[in-house]
């Protein structure tokens, strides 16, 4: 076997060195083991690709690498790595068989630079071989172990290492040649434990690896007969990376140069000559040429993958100096210089991309650095990007600006950017406000503008009203709290400082007539867009219908001060113009009379040329004018009245009939008798009741100005029901002010209605004169028709008490029976003087000052009373107190003085059975004594109740028996029915049958 590379000589020299110095053997073994188990433990394919790229560069040919996993006999597998380019030479073999003595040190364009990368093959193979067009070499763990064992000085060390030897220090010639079309082939028989890992690495090999190896254009991966082709075609600034049928276009940015010599002073000697550098950033693009951020965490490629994390979603390839582990970048001046170059290069990439917010994905995020180098890169990139003018300007396609001058909207929905272009300096175009762009913009220092900042920016600028409409529409859905100070152009040329209270003109608004009113009406062009109107309404503007304008505080203030303004000279134009503007609004709004009470304060001209509140003027020819006293109210100027809508004049308070007033409680009613009415209402409430909660009140004014009540009452009767409605306090309904006032004043033929009765009244006949008035008036007045109607009013009840003592009147017997008792209940607790005369019969009164008068409380004493008797209606004590009269029992002290001729049980009295039935009891109990005659104090009486269980005394007549039994049974109203039972005991059955009828 030929040995073109003198491997035998190499072996002799190495073995001699080891034999002379076993420590050297130990050093080589440890160094190789460190590389295999450390820096190159998982870099097999990367190192094979790197060597292929360097071979192509040295030969100046397109780089091509074929990686094929092939099966061999006995179930083994071999990895073949064939590449184009410069074939293996003696220097290369020496480099392979040495540690840290690269044959490429004088080739600045190559990637390999340390002379240790080939050690990666030992991670998977103990018998690596290299076949080249110039010859081949083989390395073998077994043969090296045998050679070492033959050196006596090394036997002990070999034993200590349990046979582990530095495989790549001894080489042997190898037969074989690379496949056709390739210059070199690495053949790696795989250890059994490495096969799965190699297969997985081949399947997972990324085409993007070629971005770091410019000399390598194609990689073919052959596994189980299937061929997968990876390639990279560079047409700067683009690179098209293909993986089978999938092609990805990458955007590249590169900077090349040479580092100053002094920066490498602290680097190893053989690195100092490699001062040249090329820094590359690459990012994949989508079909629109926009960057697609790389997924997950990246690593720095130096130039092949390191373990340095990179938070930026792009591929960085830079010749950073590596530490002894070949996996991390070594700090120092070179690293610092390359960080600066990398920052400028990424800035080149970002600024060269289309002016689209997608490129913000390449901007470092503050606080996301994964390591010291990553932090340094991020900080340097941000510094560069902050100083570059690369961000677009809304409205100017070619303009670019640095981030410090830029501004972005929090939300650029709709036309917000379009409408603010040229208003907000440095505004970014639409689309730059998207959420994923916010961290990058914040890192760059771009001003972020929310609605409040926009409002501040547009304050004081001059723009046509139509522009403001676009602005409002664009911000329709923004936070209302931030838009409160949004300016609003007004129809009169002014600008409102905010939408609150601004009026939005409606179709029914008589704008041309409203000049005299101090209104803030938005310019029509500013609310021409529906979205603009909706926003202003949401911010407190009010639809400017005529009704809404009438509610504007400025209108009310102008109305309420109009009379005083006239009196003081009315400096602001003609008062007739103000009145015309208000009346035009009233007419357009369709306001009803009394709907807005304050309109009655509008100054209007009267027929004498003076000015007065509308509510104090009569419409010419008004029906009310004919019923009031002459001059009680003024009359509206006829010419002014002819020029305006009568309905609007009435709504403003000009009178044609009586006007209603409304209030929340009696204290607000500035009307005749309002306090007396309130007292009368409170008198009807129970004693000790808490102050009531008054409902809304409606009353009628100017009642005290009426001269002709006969004509006035029909006008009042025609008023709305609310004028006549009762007031309900704590569930008690009492007359409202109008009915009370009319009832207490002589408005019916000179008489008070509360002193008359309903013409259809029956109970009150003889006590009250029936009222004479039109039916509609009587229906409104609701005059009393029953005693209960009278008793509902304490004042009327007191009047009834006096009427009962009027000898000129008569009283129905049915009323007299209990009227005094009902009066006593109605007037209980009130300070009422007793009447001078009292009614003792329907047609007779008695004067207690001239004759004895008493209240009958014990009916058996009636024959002994010796006085005119007042019916007590079942309440003798209350009646006596009301009338200040004695009870009969207080006047008569007599007792029974006769003796009974017989005594018998009530049950044995003839007719007792029917009497018991009429009482509703099973039978009569107790005794009764019959006197012939029955005397009390020597005077005859018909019956006398027994005291303390003693027998009742009667004179034996049926009437006496009936009364005595009725009193004993507490059934006084049945006394006549019981007397009948005792009077006709023989007819008990017939009478009982009658009782069963009905």
């Amino acid at each position: 076997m030929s040995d073109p590379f003198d491997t035998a000589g190499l072996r002799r020299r190495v073995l001699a060195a080891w034999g002379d110095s076993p420590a050297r053997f130990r050093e080589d073994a440890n160094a190789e083991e460190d590389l295999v188990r450390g820096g190159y433990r998982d870099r097999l394919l990367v190192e094979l690709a790197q060597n292929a790229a360097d071979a192509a560069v040295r030969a100046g040919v397109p780089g091509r690498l074929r990686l094929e996993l092939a099966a061999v006999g006995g179930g083994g597998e071999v990895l073949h790595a064939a590449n184009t380019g410069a074939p293996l030479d003696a220097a290369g073999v020496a480099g392979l068989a040495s540690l840290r003595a690269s044959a490429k040190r004088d080739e600045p364009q190559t990637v390999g630079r340390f002379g240790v990368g080939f050690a990666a093959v030992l991670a998977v193979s103990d018998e690596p071989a290299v076949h080249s067009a110039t010859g081949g070499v083989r390395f073998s763990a077994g043969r090296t172990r045998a050679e070492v064992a033959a050196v006596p000085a090394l036997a002990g060390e070999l034993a200590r290492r349990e046979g582990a030897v530095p495989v790549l220090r001894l080489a042997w010639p190898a037969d074989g040649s690379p496949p056709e079309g390739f210059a070199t082939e690495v053949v790696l028989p795989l250890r059994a434990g490495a096969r799965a890992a190699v297969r997985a690495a081949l399947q997972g090999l990324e085409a993007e690896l070629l971005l770091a190896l410019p000399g390598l254009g194609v990689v073919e991966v052959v596994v189980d007969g299937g061929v997968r082709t990876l390639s990279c075609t560079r047409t700067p600034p683009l690179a098209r990376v293909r993986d089978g049928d999938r092609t990805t276009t990458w955007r590249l940015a590169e900077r090349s140069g040479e580092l100053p010599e002094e920066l490498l002073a602290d680097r190893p000697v053989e690195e100092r000559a490699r001062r040249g550098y090329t820094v590359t950033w690459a990012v994949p693009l989508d079909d629109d040429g926009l960057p697609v951020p790389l997924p997950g965490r990246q690593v720095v490629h130096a130039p092949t993958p390191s373990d340095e994390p990179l938070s930026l979603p792009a591929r960085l390839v830079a010749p950073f100096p590596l530490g002894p582990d070949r996996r991390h970048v070594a700090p120092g001046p070179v690293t610092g210089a390359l960080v600066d170059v990398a920052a400028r290069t990424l800035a080149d990439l970002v600024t060269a991309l289309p002016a689209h917010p997608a490129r913000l994905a390449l901007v470092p995020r503050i606080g996301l650095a994964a390591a010291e180098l990553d932090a340094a890169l991020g900080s340097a990139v941000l510094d560069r990007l902050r100083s570059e003018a690369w961000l677009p300007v809304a409205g100017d396609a070619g303009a670019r600006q640095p981030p410090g001058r830029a501004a972005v909207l929090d939300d650029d929905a709709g036309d917000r950017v379009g409408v603010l272009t040229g208003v907000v300096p440095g505004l970014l175009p639409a689309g730059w406000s998207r959420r994923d762009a916010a961290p990058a913009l914040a890192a760059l220092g771009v001003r972020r503008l929310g609605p409040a900042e926009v409002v501040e920016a547009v304050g004081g600028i001059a723009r046509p009203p139509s522009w403001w409409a676009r602005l409002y529409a664009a911000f329709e859905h923004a936070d209302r709290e931030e838009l409160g100070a949004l300016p609003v152009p007004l129809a009169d040329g002014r600008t409102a400082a905010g939408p609150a209270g601004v009026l939005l003109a409606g179709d029914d608004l008589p704008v041309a007539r409203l000049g005299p009113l101090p209104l803030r009406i938005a310019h029509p062009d500013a609310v021409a867009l529906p979205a603009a109107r909706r926003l202003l309404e949401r911010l407190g503007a009010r639809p400017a219908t005529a009704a809404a304008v009438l509610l504007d505080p400025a209108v009310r203030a102008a109305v309420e001060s109009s009379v005083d303004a006239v009196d003081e000279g009315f400096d602001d134009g003609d008062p007739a113009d103000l009145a015309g503007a208000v009346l035009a609004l009233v007419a357009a709004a369709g306001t009803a009379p009394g709907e807005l009470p304050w309109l009655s304060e509008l100054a209007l001209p009267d027929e004498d040329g003076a000015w007065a509140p509308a509510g104090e003027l009569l419409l010419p020819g008004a029906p009310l004018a004919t019923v009031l006293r002459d001059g009680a109210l003024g009359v509206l100027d006829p010419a002014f009245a002819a020029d305006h809508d009568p309905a609007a004049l009435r709504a403003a308070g000009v009178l044609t009939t009586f006007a209603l007033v409304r209030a929340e409680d009696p204290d607000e009613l500035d009307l005749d008798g309002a306090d007396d009415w309130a007292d009368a209402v409170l008198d009807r409430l129970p004693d000790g009741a808490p102050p009531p909660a008054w409902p809304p009140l409606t009353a009628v004014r100017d009642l005290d100005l009426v001269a002709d009540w006969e004509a006035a009452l029909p006008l009042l009767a025609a008023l709305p029901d609310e004028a006549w409605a009762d007031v309900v306090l704590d569930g008690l309904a009492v007359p409202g002010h109008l009915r009370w006032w009319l009832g207490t004043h002589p408005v019916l033929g000179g008489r008070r209605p509360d002193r008359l009765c309903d013409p259809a009244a029956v109970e009150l006949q003889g006590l009250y004169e029936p009222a004479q008035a039109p039916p509609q008036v009587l229906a409104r007045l609701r005059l009393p028709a029953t005693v209960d109607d009278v008793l509902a009013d304490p004042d009327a009840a007191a009047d009834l008490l006096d009427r009962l003592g009027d000898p000129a009147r008569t009283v129905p017997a049915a009323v007299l029976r209990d009227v005094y008792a009902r009066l006593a209940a109605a007037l209980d607790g009130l300070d009422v003087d007793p009447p001078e005369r009292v009614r003792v019969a329907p047609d007779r009164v008695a004067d207690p000052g001239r004759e004895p008068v008493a209240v009958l409380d014990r009916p058996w004493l009636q024959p002994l009373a010796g006085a005119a008797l007042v019916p007590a209606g079942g309440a003798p004590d209350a009646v006596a107190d009301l009338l200040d009269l004695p009870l009969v029992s207080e006047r008569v002290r007599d007792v029974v003085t006769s003796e009974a001729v017989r005594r018998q049980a009530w049950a044995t009295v003839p007719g007792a059975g029917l009497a018991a039935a009429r009482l509703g009891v099973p039978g009569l109990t107790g005794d009764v004594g019959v006197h012939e005659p029955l005397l009390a104090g020597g005077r005859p009486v018909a019956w006398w109740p027994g005291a303390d269980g003693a027998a009742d005394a009667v004179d034996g007549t049926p009437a006496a028996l009936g009364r005595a039994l009725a009193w004993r049974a507490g059934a006084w109203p049945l006394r006549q029915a019981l007397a009948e039972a005792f009077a006709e005991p023989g007819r008990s059955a017939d009478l009982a049958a009658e009782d069963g009828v009905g």
Side-chain angles (χ1 to χ4, degrees), residues 578-987:
L578 173 64
V582 174
L583 290 172
L585 278 176
V586 171
T591 307
E595 182 179 344
L596 300 176
W598 49 267
L599 286 173
S600 64
E601 299 183 43
L602 177 65
L604 297 179
D606 66 15
E607 60 184 354
D608 297 324
W611 291 79
E616 296 179 11
L617 294 174
L618 293 162
L619 199 65
L624 184 62
T626 64
V627 304
L628 300 182
R629 297 195 303 268
D630 289 341
L633 295 175
V635 177
L636 182 66
D637 176 58
F640 186 89
D643 289 339
H644 293 86
D645 182 359
L649 292 170
R650 290 193 297 271
V654 179
L655 301 174
T656 58
T657 186
F658 290 95
L660 304 185
V661 294
R662 296 173 177 84
E664 295 299 320
D665 61 62
D667 291 339
E668 298 178 11
L669 288 177
D670 185 16
L671 300 174
D672 182 62
D675 292 340
D676 293 337
W677 167 73
D679 291 341
V681 170
L682 296 176
D683 285 344
R684 297 196 179 199
L685 298 179
D687 289 341
W694 290 89
L697 304 175
T698 301
V700 177
R701 47 170 278 201
D702 300 329
L703 297 176
D704 54 331
L705 303 181
V706 174
D708 183 355
W709 278 108
E710 183 176 358
L713 287 174
L715 293 179
L716 291 169
L719 293 178
D721 291 345
E722 63 174 314
W724 294 90
D726 287 342
V727 173
V728 180
L729 292 178
D730 297 337
L732 178 66
V734 297
H737 177 269
L738 173 59
R739 184 176 292 113
W740 171 86
W741 194 95
L742 294 175
T744 56
H745 289 76
V747 301
L748 285 179
R751 307 186 69 177
R752 289 172 45 162
D754 66 350
R755 299 299 184 256
L756 302 172
C757 70
D758 187 281
V762 175
E763 282 191 354
L764 303 181
Q765 289 181 5
L767 285 169
Y768 294 88
E769 290 73 29
Q772 301 297 319
Q776 68 271 26
V777 173
L778 293 176
R780 289 295 201 185
L781 290 174
R782 289 211 320 247
L783 300 180
T786 66
V787 172
D788 284 339
D789 293 341
V790 176
L791 297 182
D793 182 352
D795 289 338
D799 175 66
L800 175 59
L801 184 62
D802 290 335
R803 286 172 179 268
L804 288 171
D806 184 354
R809 301 182 184 278
T810 59
V811 179
V815 172
L816 180 61
R817 182 170 58 247
D818 60 1
V819 67
Y820 278 119
R822 294 161 71 183
L823 276 168
L827 298 173
D828 183 36
L830 299 180
D831 186 13
V832 179
D833 293 332
E836 294 183 1
R837 290 182 291 274
V838 296
R839 178 75 53 175
V840 295
D843 56 355
R844 178 172 176 263
V845 299
D847 182 353
R850 297 176 177 271
E851 61 177 305
V853 181
V855 177
L856 182 62
D857 57 333
R858 297 179 182 177
W860 63 89
L861 297 178
Q862 182 176 5
L864 308 178
L869 299 179
V870 177
D877 292 330
V879 172
D881 289 341
L882 174 68
L883 303 179
D884 195 21
L885 294 175
L887 297 169
V888 171
S889 61
E890 294 173 345
R891 291 175 52 84
V892 178
R893 303 294 184 179
D894 294 337
V895 297
V896 174
T897 55
S898 60
E899 294 292 336
V901 297
R902 64 180 182 277
R903 182 187 180 102
Q904 65 185 103
W906 274 105
T908 63
V909 177
L914 179 59
R918 287 183 168 176
L919 287 173
V921 298
L924 302 182
T925 61
D927 299 332
V928 61
V930 179
H931 296 243
E932 294 179 352
L934 174 60
L935 300 176
R939 290 181 290 175
V941 295
W943 64 284
W944 201 278
D948 300 327
D952 297 316
V954 298
D955 63 3
T957 62
L961 288 168
R963 282 169 168 73
L965 181 59
W967 188 262
R968 164 183 284 274
W972 187 245
L974 294 178
R975 60 191 182 279
Q976 297 298 336
L978 297 177
E980 183 182 39
F982 293 129
E984 301 184 71
R987 297 187 61 235

Side-chain angles (χ1 to χ4, degrees), residues 217-307:
V218 178
V219 176
E220 295 175 354
V221 180
V222 183
V223 178
D224 297 332
V227 180
R228 173 171 158 244
T229 301
L230 313 177
S231 66
C232 178
T233 304
R234 295 171 179 260
T235 53
L238 301 179
R240 288 176 174 82
V241 176
R242 295 178 178 85
D243 184 347
D245 295 333
R246 180 171 59 87
T247 300
T248 303
T249 300
W250 291 67
R251 179 67 182 247
L252 307 179
E254 293 183 332
R255 279 180 180 258
S256 298
E258 191 171 89
L259 295 172
E261 184 176 352
E262 60 271 16
L263 293 182
L264 285 83
D266 64 343
R267 297 304 302 162
V269 173
E270 291 192 3
E271 289 186 35
R272 296 176 191 173
R274 299 175 64 97
R275 292 163 52 197
Y277 65 80
T278 295
V279 173
T280 302
W281 282 94
V283 64
L285 305 178
D286 63 14
D287 293 341
D288 296 322
L290 300 177
V292 179
L294 292 178
R297 298 175 70 86
Q298 302 299 307
V299 295
V300 175
H301 288 64
T304 52
S306 71
D307 283 353

